[in-house]
Amino acid sequence: MRLHFEARGVSSELELEPGTWTLGGAAGDGIRFPGLPSRLLDLDLREGRVWVTCALPRPVGRAVLVPGVRRWLLPGEWIRLSRQAQLRLPAPAQNPDTLALLRSLLQAGEGAEHSAAARLSCVAGVDAGATFPLLGATVELGRLPTCGVQLGDGAVSRRHLEFTAERGRHRIRDLGGRNRARCNGRWLRSGRLLADADVLAVGRSLLCYREERRSVAPSLTSLGRGQPAPPAAPSAGGAG
């Protein structure tokens, strides 16, 4: 697993084997950067994913991660280690959505994956590791089986949030849950238009919003006629 470290304008790459690593400034830390507290982070590298737990509050993505919460680090996200240092999981070099879509089309009898749709990735909480595509004009989030995004978090209301599609993004509305939601660490304003990589805190869960990917543009009609697929376009940016 490759991680990108940056401090005072100097960058370096870390190649780590799967397993659990401690990161801090002490001699006993598996990954040592002088000046950091001892055992500042625990990094758990499993099945191509990175999970992070902080000993002290640290900004991860667009929200602060509190101590003791295990969070899934998504490709392209940063962990702020100090004022001068940060750690990032690089985004893939190719657009994974394009590759997933092409693979699904080449499988006989299989429909295309909805990987290009806007989605919520649960990065912390009982549903951590799950990704929910936001399909349709409106999608509700809550504990009810009728919700398009159903969470098992007992602190989430039965019907907690509503997402309304708007030009590749989503406008969010609070449905009056007993626990108010936060967006990027601040109380959520109902009617807010979400931006890519916004982090929602709902109940005891954290969800990262990713807007619709418009770079996925192979000709589905051509593929259906047996014509060769075009090469995958390079990734447009740092969010994965």
Side-chain angles (χ1 to χ4, degrees):
M1 177 72 68
R2 177 178 294 129
L3 297 176
H4 180 90
F5 176 76
E6 183 178 305
R8 302 178 185 275
V10 178
S11 300
S12 60
E13 299 289 335
L14 303 176
E15 284 283 355
L16 301 177
E17 294 295 326
T20 300
W21 297 78
T22 61
L23 183 151
D29 288 317
I31 307 171
R32 186 187 179 195
F33 296 114
L36 296 179
S38 173
R39 296 187 66 95
L40 176 61
L41 301 178
D42 282 340
L43 297 174
D44 189 11
L45 281 56
R46 306 285 177 186
E47 299 178 353
R49 292 186 174 184
V50 176
W51 298 86
V52 58
T53 308
C54 301
L56 298 171
R58 281 294 179 269
V60 179
R62 293 190 176 180
V64 174
L65 182 63
V66 298
V69 174
R70 187 171 183 260
R71 188 197 194 282
W72 175 23
L73 186 67
L74 298 177
E77 287 191 314
W78 289 95
I79 306 172
R80 182 74 63 179
L81 304 176
S82 68
R83 290 184 178 180
Q84 296 83 23
Q86 52 193 0
L87 190 70
R88 181 172 65 93
L89 177 61
Q94 290 182 307
N95 189 332
D97 288 343
T98 302
L99 298 178
L101 180 60
L102 294 176
R103 281 197 299 268
S104 68
L105 289 170
L106 293 175
Q107 294 175 356
E110 295 290 334
E113 296 180 14
H114 297 288
S115 55
R119 60 204 182 276
L120 292 171
S121 294
C122 187
V123 297
V126 297
D127 298 288
T131 295
F132 305 91
L134 299 176
L135 305 175
T138 61
V139 179
E140 288 189 355
L141 177 151
R143 296 199 328 272
L144 289 178
T146 54
C147 291
V149 178
Q150 184 186 9
L151 300 181
D153 185 346
V156 172
S157 299
R158 291 178 300 172
R159 297 174 62 243
H160 205 123
L161 299 174
E162 181 185 74
F163 299 84
T164 302
E166 188 172 312
R167 297 182 181 179
R169 295 165 65 183
H170 284 78
R171 197 171 294 279
I172 190 169
R173 183 168 70 95
D174 196 317
L175 297 176
R178 66 181 183 276
N179 296 322
R180 290 181 61 192
R182 293 177 181 266
C183 182
N184 301 332
R186 298 184 178 183
W187 293 118
L188 176 68
R189 293 182 291 103
S190 196
R192 175 190 177 110
L193 186 63
L194 294 175
D196 191 51
D198 277 350
V199 176
L200 301 172
V202 187
R204 289 184 286 270
S205 301
L206 293 177
L207 298 109
C208 184
Y209 171 78
R210 306 316 303 259
E211 66 183 29
E212 177 184 331
R213 288 178 180 264
R214 302 182 184 182
S215 58
V216 179
S219 174
L220 304 186
T221 302
S222 297
L223 289 173
R225 294 173 180 169
Q227 296 182 15
S235 176

